[in-house]
């Protein structure tokens, strides 16, 4: 199996504040190689306010070689499309290393 590169983007607090004392955020990105991408559930939005709406989900398996960092609130770009990370996934730990991948990340995107 071979993975593909994806880009992870985090919002990082710069430590500065605006005039309303709100944090000023910056974006920080990192390309992660060898990520397995699997299509997940896809569905049409069923509510009447979004008749053209669509929801897409992916599951990505990140490699053990990637230095883990929390993905809460991160955005992952796969094949040129941006997806939001669901939750705050953590790597599988326990000494077993049957594959090169140890972190499953669920992604979602809604359009329309």
């Amino acid at each position: 199996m071979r993975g593909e590169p994806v880009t992870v983007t985090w919002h990082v607090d710069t430590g500065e504040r605006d005039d309303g004392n709100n944090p000023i955020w910056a974006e920080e990105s990192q390309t992660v190689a060898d990520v397995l991408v699997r299509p997940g559930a896809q569905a049409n939005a069923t509510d009447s306010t979004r008749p053209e709406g669509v929801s897409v989900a992916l599951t990505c398996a990140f490699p053990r070689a990637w230095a883990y960092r929390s993905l809460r609130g991160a955005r992952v770009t796969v094949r040129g499309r941006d997806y939001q990370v669901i939750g705050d996934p953590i790597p599988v730990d326990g000494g077993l290393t049957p594959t090169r991948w140890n972190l499953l990340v669920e992604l979602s995107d809604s359009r329309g």
Side-chain angles (χ1 to χ4, degrees), residues 7-91:
T7 302
V8 181
T9 304
W10 295 268
H11 289 278
V12 180
D13 188 344
T14 63
E16 299 176 33
R17 299 290 183 252
D18 65 13
D19 293 336
N21 201 31
N22 299 307
I24 297 174
W25 300 94
E27 286 192 346
E28 186 177 303
S29 296
Q30 177 185 16
T31 299
V32 181
D34 197 25
V35 175
L36 297 178
V37 178
R38 181 183 78 190
Q42 300 183 18
N44 291 325
T46 57
D47 58 48
S48 62
T49 59
R50 297 179 49 216
E52 301 297 320
V54 132
S55 295
V56 178
L58 297 176
T59 300
C60 290
F62 278 59
R64 290 176 189 282
W66 177 62
Y68 172 77
R69 176 177 171 185
S70 175
L71 293 170
R72 178 179 291 283
R75 182 176 72 236
V76 178
T77 305
V78 178
R79 302 174 191 160
R81 285 199 119 150
D82 291 335
Y83 298 89
Q84 289 300 125
V85 172
I86 298 171
D88 190 13
I90 58 172

Side-chain angles (χ1 to χ4, degrees), residues 86-103:
I86 298 171
D88 190 13
I90 58 172
V92 173
D93 194 14
L96 296 176
T97 57
T99 68
R100 293 192 317 253
W101 301 273
N102 71 332
L103 176 66

